[in-house]
Amino acid sequence: MATTSEINNDLSFSVVSIVEDVLQQHSSRSSDVGLVSRKVEESSLRRYEAAGWLRDMIGVSNGKDFPGEPSEEEFRLGLRSGIVLCNVLNKVNPGSVSKVVEAPDDVADGAALSAFQYFENIRNFLVAIEEMGLPSFEASDMEKGGKSIRIVNCILALKSYSEWKLKGENGPWRYGSNMKHNFGSRKLFLRKSSEPFVSSISRTQSTDMLSTDQPLSSDGDSRSINGLVRSFIADRKHEDIPNVVESVLNKVMEEVQQRLSIHNEMMKSSSKPIPEDDSSCETVVRSQLCDARQHEEAEENSPPQVVEKKFQRTNFEHHEEQKILLNQQKHIQELKQTLYTTKAGMKLLQMKYQEDFFHLGKHLNGLAYAATGYKRVLEENRKLYNLVQDLKGNIRVYCRVRPFLPGQESGGLSAVEDIDEGTITIRVPSKYGKAGQKPFMFNKVFGPSATQEEVFSDMQPLVRSVLDGYNVCIFAYGQTGSGKTFTMTGPKELTEESLGVNYRALADLFLLSNQRKDTTSYEISVQMLEIYNEQVRDLLAQDGQTKRLEIRNNSHNGINVPEASLVPVSSTDDVIQLMDLGHMNRAVSSTAMNDRSSRSHSCVTVHVQGRDLTSGSILHGSMHLVDLAGSERVDKSEVTGDRLKEAQHINKSLSALGDVISSLSQKTSHVPYRNSKLTQLLQDSLGGSAKTLMFVHISPEPDTLGETISTLKFAERVGSVELGAARVNKDNSEVKELKEQIANLKMALVRKGNGNDVQPTAIPINRERISRRRSLETPTIRPKLPTMGNTSNNSRPQIMDLSGPEAFNDSTASSRRHSLDIHELMKSSSPAWPRQPLNGKDEDRESKSGEWIDKHEELIQNQNPNSPEQFYQSMVPQQQSLYGGKQDFEVQSITDNESDEAATSDCSDSDLLWRLSVQVNVPKVSNIQNSANPKPKKIQPRTAKLSETRSLIPSLIPAPSKRPPNTVNSQPQRPTRDGKRRLSLGT
Ligand SMILES: Nc1ncnc2c1ncn2[C@@H]1O[C@H](COP(=O)(O)OP(=O)(O)OP(=O)(O)O)[C@@H](O)[C@H]1O
C-alpha cells in the first residue's frame, strides 16, 4: 500500500508534470501551422540523429532491426525492450546497468514484452540515466501513444555526454544549452534490489539549476516549476505574459483539482478492509496497489477523461473482483458445509456399515450354528437310523474306499464320484450300460482319507458291547487288493496309527475290562482260524499242524470250533504275539492281481466271559473279526491248477454267503448255512442274535469298476437283511431257578401221566424274573477246550481250559443246587431215569431260520441222565409220536429289569436297544436226546405243516395276556409264528 509521504511526493511531482502538460498544450495551441510542421520535421531529424548514433554504438549487425531513419513507431519498438538502450549506456558509461536482460529470440516486434523485461531493462536504464543527471523519460513513453520526443531527448543527451566523455574533458559535465528543454517528469523507480532510489531532478533550463549534485527537495520542485514557466514565457511578448500566465495558472489549478479528486477516490477504494487470514487478499491488495500505480501513471500521462475512464474501469474491475471474491468465499463456505455434511454422512454410513457388519456377523454366527446343528441332526439321524437298523436287527454295512496306491493313479480319475456320510456315488461310464452316476447307501462310508482311528471309532460301541455279553461279527468284504486286510489288521509295516481293527478292538476291550474290574471280572481269550480250500485251520496251532477242525454251530458258549486253540490274552502285547503267529501260519502266495493276496478267509474270534462280582451272574460274548478272501471272479485272477482250486473254493464260499444273505433277506424258512464252511462259521452272526457289521471295501481304480459295482450291490443287499434284535448271553440265578421249576412241573406231569396222584409242586413263578436271555445252560458243562503244550514252559499266553469247575465257580454251586432238587423230586417219583449215551454227532443238524439248536441243552441231557428232561422224555413216548417227535414250549417273554441293568455297555445303542426292547423272545431249546432213540435224529427242515403240528404241544408257561398268572396250562399250545424264540424239547 502506498504510504502518505509517497502520495505526497507523487502529488508534488505531479504538480511539475501538470505544469509541464499545461504549458505544452498552451504552446501547441498558440503555435501556427508552419511552426507545427517545422517542429515535426525538427523532431524527426532529432530522432534520426538519435537512431543513427544508437546504430553506430551497437553496431550495424546488432542494430539490423533498428533502421537508421525510423518512424516514430519503429523507433519506439526498436527501443522497447530496453536492451539497445542498456547496451549503449554500458558502452558510454561501463557498469551503469549491471545486468541486461536479453529478450528471447522468438519475440516478434510489437509483441507484448514480459513485464519483467519491461521493468528490468527500462527501469535500470532510467535509474542509471537519472543518476548520471541526464534528462529522463517515462517508461510508458515506450508504449503506443507515449512521448517519444522525451526518449529522443534522453538519447541525444546521452550522445552529448558520450562525446564529452570521449573528448576526455575534465570537470562536471553540463548538458548543452542549445538542447530543447526536457519536460520529462520524474518517476520514482525502485531498483531491482528494492533499494529506494532517490532521484535527482535534472532540469535543463539553466546551468545553475541543472547541477547533478542538487538534492531532491521541495525547493528543487519549485525551482523546476519556475524554470518551466520562465522558459515558457521567454519567447513571448511582454504584453502577452500576464494573460498567458493567468490562463496557464487557471489550467494548472483545474488539473490539480481534478487529479486530487481522483486521488481521493482511489484512497477511498484502497482503504477498504482486507480480510486478514485469507491469502488471496494479499494478491488482491498487490493487484490493487499495482492498479493504483498504473492508474497514477495513467493519470499523470493521460488526459483527464482517459484517466477517469481508466479509473472507472479499474473501479469496476475492482468491484468485480470483490464480487468474485465474495462469491468464492460463499462457495468455500458452501463447500465447507458440503464437506461437513459429507463427513457426517460418512460417519453415519460408517456406523450403519458397522451395525450391518455386526448384524451380518450375528447372522453368520447363527448360520454357522444352524449348520453345526444341521450337521448334528444329520449325525443324530444317522445314529437313529443305525439304532432302528439295530432294533430291526439289520446287518450294519460300512463302506471304505481305498486310496490310489503309489504309481496306480489313473490320471487322478477315481471311480468314486462323491462320498457323503452314508452315500457313495459311483461314476458309471457307458461301457457298463447307461452312463451316469450310481448312488449306494450304507450306514457309513469312509473316503480314501479316513484314518484307521476314525474307522475304528465308528465301530467302537459295537466292539464294546461284547463285554456286555453280545455276539458281534465284523467281516471285511471286497475284491483282492481293496484294503480288507488293511482295515482289519493294518499294512505290512505296522505303526501305532496304522493298527487295524483287530488290534484296536482287543486293546479297547482290555481298557474297558480294566475300567470295570471293580464290578466285573473278565476273561478274554482269542482263537484264530483260517478257512482255506473249505478246510478250517487253526492259525494258532504251535506245531503248525493243519488238523481239520469241525464247526459246531450254536454251542452254548459261542465257541463254534472247540478244537481250535483258545488263548487267553490280557494285553496288547499278547495279541500282537498271537497275530504274528497267526499270520505266519496263514496261507499266502502270489496271484496276478495282488502279490499279497490271501486266498483264504481268516477269522480272529475273541471270546469274553464276564462274572458279575456282586450277583455272580456270568455273561459271555464273542466277536468274530473276519478278513474274507478277495471277492473277484476266478477268470480275472488268471490262475490255474492249485490257484484255480483255491479261487473256486473262495468263490464257492462267497456264493454261499450270498445265498445265505439272500435267503435271510427274503425270510425263507431254510437258510443254507451249511453250503460252506464260511457260512457255517458265521451262522450265529448272520442268522442268530448277534450284532453284525459288514465292512465292504472298494478300490478307486476305474478299471475295476465292474467288480466294484457288483461288490456294492451285494453289500446293499446285505444291509437290508434283518436278523432280529441282538440279545445278551447272560446266565443268572433266576434263570436257573426257573429251569428247576420247569423240571419240577415236567416231572409232575409225568407222574400224572403214569397214574400217580402226585400233584405238581406248586412253585410260584416269578414272571418278573424270567430271563429273556438266550442261553439257559449252566457253564459247568461247557465243552472242554483244547490246551496247548506245557503252559509252564511256554512264553505264549496260556491256552484256557474251560472244562474245569474252577473256571465257573458260581455255576458249579448252581448246578449242585439244581441236582439236589432233582434228587428230591426223584425220591418222590417212582420211574427210573433212563441213561442216555453221549452222542457227539448232533452238531450236524441243520438249523432253521427263526430257531436255534441248543447243543448245550442236548449236553445237559447227555451228561446228566437223571435230569428231569430225560426223565420226561422217557416217560412220554406217545406224545412224541403224536407231535412229530418233538415238543415245543412257548415261554412268555417278560422284561427283566435286572438283566437290563446288567447290560452296562458304554455302547449307547446297544443299551438303548435293550431299553427300547419291550418284549424279547426266549430261545428254544431243541434236539434233546430221547432215551428211546439214542441215535441222533436228523432233523428235516420244518415245513409249515410240521410247525402247525408241533404247535399242539402244550405250553407250560402261559402268556400273561391269555391266562391268569401262576397257573399251568396242561393243554397243548400252538406255537407262535411271529419269530419268537421257543423253548424246544427235541426227541
Ligand atoms: N486305506 C488304505 N490306506 C492306505 N493304503 C491302503 C489302504 N487300504 C489298502 N491299502 C494298501 O493297499 C494294498 C492292498 O490292501 P490289502 O492287502 O489290505 O487288500 P486286501 O483286500 O486285503 O487284499 P486280499 O484280498 O488279497 O487280502 C496294501 O498295500 C495296503 O497297504
Side-chain angles (χ1 to χ4, degrees):
M1 206 170 171
T3 59
T4 321
S5 65
E6 276 174 344
I7 290 169
N8 287 341
N9 281 338
D10 279 356
L11 282 177
S12 63
F13 291 140
S14 294
V15 171
V16 177
S17 139
I18 289 165
V19 172
E20 192 180 19
D21 284 344
V22 169
L23 288 179
Q24 243 184 4
Q25 283 166 22
H26 204 275
S27 66
S28 62
R29 259 200 315 270
S30 58
S31 59
D32 55 23
V33 179
L35 186 68
V36 170
S37 63
R38 192 164 46 84
K39 274 191 177 176
V40 168
E41 192 184 337
E42 191 184 324
S43 71
S44 298
L45 285 172
R46 285 167 61 78
R47 187 166 65 246
Y48 298 157
E49 187 190 346
W53 180 71
L54 287 174
R55 275 168 64 91
D56 290 346
M57 289 301 283
I58 58 171
V60 181
S61 58
N62 284 344
K64 61 184 184 306
D65 296 328
F66 195 69
E69 291 183 357
S71 67
E72 203 172 322
E73 183 67 4
E74 284 169 343
F75 183 76
R76 196 177 50 75
L77 285 174
L79 300 177
R80 193 166 156 240
S81 67
I83 298 167
V84 173
L85 292 176
C86 288
N87 285 339
V88 169
L89 180 59
N90 277 343
K91 273 200 167 179
V92 174
N93 199 13
S96 296
V97 178
S98 56
K99 187 172 182 245
V100 181
V101 179
E102 295 296 329
D105 292 341
D106 54 353
V107 174
D109 277 353
L113 289 168
S114 73
F116 183 74
Q117 287 167 332
Y118 180 87
F119 280 105
E120 277 299 295
N121 290 339
I122 298 293
R123 184 176 56 190
N124 289 343
F125 174 79
L126 289 175
V127 167
I129 285 292
E130 286 192 13
E131 276 177 352
M132 288 162 69
L134 294 176
S136 178
F137 57 87
E138 294 286 327
S140 60
D141 290 338
M142 283 292 180
E143 298 302 317
K144 206 166 182 168
K147 291 168 185 164
S148 60
I149 191 162
R150 290 197 223 180
I151 306 168
V152 173
N153 283 345
C154 175
I155 292 166
L156 287 178
L158 185 62
K159 180 184 169 223
S160 157
Y161 175 79
S162 164
E163 285 163 354
W164 174 78
K165 230 184 152 186
L166 282 171
K167 278 182 198 160
E169 293 199 15
N170 291 326
W173 176 77
R174 304 255 187 262
Y175 187 40
S177 55
N178 60 335
M179 291 257 332
K180 205 65 182 119
H181 297 302
N182 179 15
F183 296 114
S185 64
R186 288 178 308 151
K187 178 82 185 137
L188 178 66
F189 286 103
L190 294 179
R191 280 182 188 275
K192 202 177 172 189
S193 59
S194 302
E195 163 194 327
F197 168 66
V198 182
S199 145
S200 62
I201 302 171
S202 72
R203 288 295 174 239
T204 58
Q205 286 306 308
S206 61
T207 48
D208 52 315
M209 283 175 63
L210 290 171
S211 165
T212 48
D213 299 327
Q214 195 174 358
L216 176 66
S217 65
S218 54
D219 290 352
D221 287 344
S222 57
R223 271 201 297 272
S224 54
I225 292 171
N226 287 341
L228 281 173
V229 174
R230 259 189 227 140
S231 70
F232 180 70
I233 59 171
D235 48 354
R236 309 275 169 179
K237 291 176 187 166
H238 276 283
E239 57 271 20
D240 295 339
I241 290 173
N243 293 333
V244 170
V245 169
E246 193 186 347
S247 80
V248 167
L249 280 175
N250 283 339
K251 280 274 171 204
V252 167
M253 283 310 292
E254 256 177 50
E255 190 74 9
V256 166
Q257 270 175 359
Q258 202 177 16
R259 292 194 182 189
L260 267 174
S261 66
I262 290 169
H263 264 286
N264 285 341
E265 280 291 315
M266 274 179 67
M267 285 297 290
K268 263 186 215 164
S269 64
S270 61
S271 62
K272 274 185 187 169
I274 298 163
E276 268 185 10
D277 59 338
D278 199 336
S279 60
S280 63
C281 289
E282 211 180 312
T283 331
V284 174
V285 168
R286 247 191 248 127
S287 80
Q288 278 183 352
L289 271 176
C290 189
D291 283 352
R293 283 235 176 91
Q294 280 175 359
H295 183 75
E296 268 175 38
E297 285 166 18
E299 195 182 302
E300 285 169 5
N301 303 309
S302 310
Q305 298 90 340
V306 179
V307 172
E308 180 84 4
K309 258 189 188 171
K310 270 192 182 173
F311 178 72
Q312 277 173 0
R313 204 176 62 228
T314 316
N315 247 0
F316 176 74
E317 279 170 6
H318 179 72
H319 218 74
E320 284 298 300
E321 274 170 9
Q322 289 282 337
K323 259 164 89 179
I324 291 168
L325 195 71
L326 280 174
N327 260 347
Q328 280 176 346
Q329 275 175 346
K330 212 169 124 191
H331 279 145
I332 288 170
Q333 281 303 324
E334 278 171 8
L335 281 173
K336 273 185 182 169
Q337 188 64 30
T338 316
L339 186 73
Y340 178 77
T341 325
T342 314
K343 267 188 183 170
M346 282 297 291
K347 260 196 180 155
L348 211 75
L349 270 178
Q350 211 174 350
M351 270 164 62
K352 204 163 157 15
Y353 276 136
Q354 267 175 358
E355 211 172 294
D356 282 357
F357 272 128
F358 178 72
H359 284 307
L360 201 71
K362 262 171 84 175
H363 193 62
L364 274 177
N365 262 353
L367 279 178
Y369 183 75
T372 326
Y374 178 68
K375 249 191 141 184
R376 231 182 11 240
V377 167
L378 277 184
E379 182 62 24
E380 249 158 45
N381 272 355
R382 195 176 67 80
K383 275 190 181 153
L384 283 173
Y385 172 74
N386 285 344
L387 184 64
V388 170
Q389 296 279 97
D390 283 346
L391 282 169
K392 289 199 299 187
N394 277 57
I395 294 179
R396 210 181 271 202
V397 182
Y398 286 179
C399 175
R400 187 176 193 183
V401 183
R402 169 172 63 68
F404 281 107
L405 295 177
Q408 260 192 358
E409 290 93 341
S410 51
L413 188 72
S414 169
V416 178
E417 171 78 37
D418 185 42
I419 292 171
D420 180 25
E421 273 293 314
T423 308
I424 178 168
T425 310
I426 300 294
R427 203 179 279 130
V428 185
S430 53
K431 71 170 178 176
Y432 292 96
K434 202 176 152 202
Q437 295 172 349
K438 187 149 179 48
F440 294 91
M441 279 180 70
F442 301 110
N443 296 87
K444 176 96 189 174
V445 180
F446 296 97
S449 56
T451 61
Q452 299 284 72
E453 194 187 348
E454 279 165 24
V455 167
F456 178 72
S457 70
D458 236 74
M459 59 172 76
Q460 194 178 30
L462 197 74
V463 169
R464 288 188 160 196
S465 62
V466 175
L467 291 185
D468 293 328
Y470 289 89
N471 284 349
V472 173
C473 175
I474 298 169
F475 64 95
Y477 181 87
Q479 71 174 118
T480 293
S482 56
K484 300 180 294 294
T485 309
F486 187 90
T487 297
M488 300 309 288
T489 311
K492 264 184 201 167
E493 308 298 332
L494 278 177
T495 61
E496 205 175 319
E497 287 79 38
S498 66
L499 284 176
V501 170
N502 296 353
Y503 296 99
R504 287 172 191 268
L506 278 156
D508 196 49
L509 292 186
F510 293 140
L511 183 83
L512 197 63
S513 63
N514 199 37
Q515 281 171 7
R516 295 183 184 178
K517 67 173 186 280
D518 293 340
T519 54
T520 316
S521 148
Y522 286 104
E523 284 171 10
I524 301 172
S525 42
V526 172
Q527 280 185 322
M528 220 174 147
L529 302 169
E530 178 192 52
I531 302 175
Y532 176 70
N533 283 354
E534 280 301 277
Q535 288 178 18
V536 183
R537 295 172 64 210
D538 181 7
L539 289 180
L540 297 184
Q542 278 211 318
D543 49 8
Q545 275 181 5
T546 53
K547 197 175 96 183
R548 191 180 160 172
L549 305 174
E550 291 302 324
I551 301 170
R552 297 168 187 237
N553 287 114
N554 298 317
S555 69
H556 67 285
N557 54 5
I559 300 173
N560 292 339
V561 189
E563 293 151 296
S565 308
L566 182 72
V567 185
V569 283
S570 56
S571 70
T572 311
D573 284 347
D574 292 350
V575 176
I576 291 173
Q577 263 188 328
L578 279 188
M579 298 274 181
D580 284 348
L581 178 69
H583 292 140
M584 253 168 53
N585 287 338
R586 198 175 175 197
V588 176
S589 66
S590 302
T591 68
M593 290 188 80
N594 184 355
D595 60 358
R596 199 183 163 253
S597 171
S598 47
R599 292 164 316 287
S600 60
H601 311 296
S602 81
C603 177
V604 174
T605 307
V606 182
H607 297 278
V608 172
Q609 182 183 278
R611 187 162 55 88
D612 193 312
L613 296 177
T614 336
S615 69
S617 62
I618 298 278
L619 55 79
H620 51 87
S622 67
M623 174 164 63
H624 295 303
L625 299 162
V626 188
D627 181 0
L628 294 175
S631 61
E632 65 281 349
R633 310 269 185 279
V634 167
D635 54 320
K636 281 203 179 169
S637 298
E638 300 163 9
V639 290
T640 52
D642 279 355
R643 294 286 168 268
L644 180 65
K645 196 177 149 201
E646 285 169 352
Q648 280 168 341
H649 276 122
I650 292 164
N651 280 353
K652 184 190 163 198
S653 58
L654 291 175
S655 298
L657 181 66
D659 293 341
V660 166
I661 300 286
S662 169
S663 82
L664 283 171
S665 62
Q666 288 163 22
K667 294 189 168 49
T668 56
S669 58
H670 171 68
V671 182
Y673 290 114
R674 297 207 151 255
N675 286 356
S676 79
K677 293 287 179 201
L678 175 68
T679 47
Q680 240 180 306
L681 184 70
L682 298 181
Q683 179 174 339
D684 288 351
S685 308
L686 290 173
S689 52
K691 295 182 177 187
T692 307
L693 165 66
M694 173 169 156
F695 217 125
V696 62
H697 292 78
I698 59 165
S699 310
E701 292 89 24
D703 48 346
T704 59
L705 191 67
E707 203 60 54
T708 300
I709 290 175
S710 64
T711 302
L712 290 172
K713 276 183 179 167
F714 175 73
E716 244 186 2
R717 245 173 61 212
V718 172
S720 69
V721 174
E722 287 177 23
L723 301 175
R727 284 172 292 275
V728 173
N729 305 311
K730 193 171 180 185
D731 192 6
N732 58 25
S733 50
E734 286 81 23
V735 174
K736 286 171 215 145
E737 216 173 88
L738 285 168
K739 280 165 119 183
E740 287 162 8
Q741 287 173 5
I742 291 166
N744 284 340
L745 287 167
K746 282 178 184 172
M747 273 203 302
L749 267 175
V750 170
R751 281 182 203 142
K752 203 173 182 186
N754 286 344
N756 273 342
D757 250 2
V758 180
Q759 294 296 314
T761 316
I763 302 167
I765 297 170
N766 185 353
R767 289 181 181 282
E768 314 247 317
R769 305 192 75 131
I770 293 174
S771 170
R772 62 192 172 179
R773 304 294 182 239
R774 177 185 169 189
S775 293
L776 299 173
E777 67 275 3
T778 52
T780 43
I781 46 164
R782 286 185 179 191
K784 183 168 178 170
L785 297 170
T787 53
M788 288 183 59
N790 186 355
T791 51
S792 57
N793 299 334
N794 202 336
S795 60
R796 286 183 55 207
Q798 200 166 350
I799 309 285
M800 185 169 73
D801 187 348
L802 297 174
S803 60
E806 54 292 341
F808 308 100
N809 301 336
D810 63 323
S811 30
T812 323
S814 168
S815 174
R816 225 181 287 130
R817 198 171 66 230
H818 173 91
S819 44
L820 264 177
D821 289 348
I822 290 171
H823 282 295
E824 275 174 22
L825 284 165
M826 293 289 282
K827 274 181 210 162
S828 60
S829 61
S830 49
W833 291 90
R835 286 204 157 260
Q836 293 289 326
L838 270 171
N839 191 328
K841 293 182 181 172
D842 312 37
E843 68 272 8
D844 280 336
R845 292 194 189 141
E846 191 154 327
S847 71
K848 303 186 180 197
S849 175
E851 72 177 75
W852 58 270
I853 303 158
D854 195 329
K855 290 188 190 317
H856 177 54
E857 286 297 326
E858 185 184 339
L859 285 165
I860 291 172
Q861 300 301 321
N862 293 339
Q863 291 174 1
N864 188 358
N866 294 332
S867 70
E869 284 83 359
Q870 278 182 321
F871 175 75
Y872 168 75
Q873 298 297 335
S874 64
M875 298 305 288
V876 285
Q878 326 88 304
Q879 285 183 347
Q880 285 162 12
S881 59
L882 180 63
Y883 303 118
K886 195 168 183 179
Q887 287 184 348
D888 283 11
F889 297 89
E890 184 176 305
V891 180
Q892 179 62 42
S893 307
I894 293 165
T895 309
D896 185 349
N897 293 334
E898 275 185 30
S899 301
D900 286 350
E901 277 162 25
T904 53
S905 171
D906 286 358
C907 158
S908 56
D909 53 1
S910 62
D911 263 0
L912 203 55
L913 172 67
W914 278 110
R915 291 189 198 292
L916 286 171
S917 151
V918 176
Q919 192 174 6
V920 181
N921 304 309
V922 176
K924 279 185 288 183
V925 179
S926 62
N927 289 352
I928 301 213
Q929 203 73 34
N930 189 343
S931 59
N933 184 12
K935 283 205 165 195
K937 187 176 175 184
K938 184 92 177 170
I939 297 172
Q940 295 304 315
R942 254 189 275 175
T943 59
K945 202 176 172 189
L946 179 65
S947 173
E948 289 294 310
T949 316
R950 280 171 37 237
S951 69
L952 295 172
I953 297 168
S955 170
L956 293 179
I957 303 172
S961 55
K962 291 175 185 170
R963 297 172 216 21
N966 300 336
T967 58
V968 176
N969 187 354
S970 57
Q971 292 305 308
Q973 289 274 317
R974 280 178 182 275
T976 56
R977 297 186 66 200
D978 57 0
K980 285 179 182 174
R981 304 278 177 194
R982 287 163 295 180
L983 183 63
S984 161
L985 294 174
T987 53

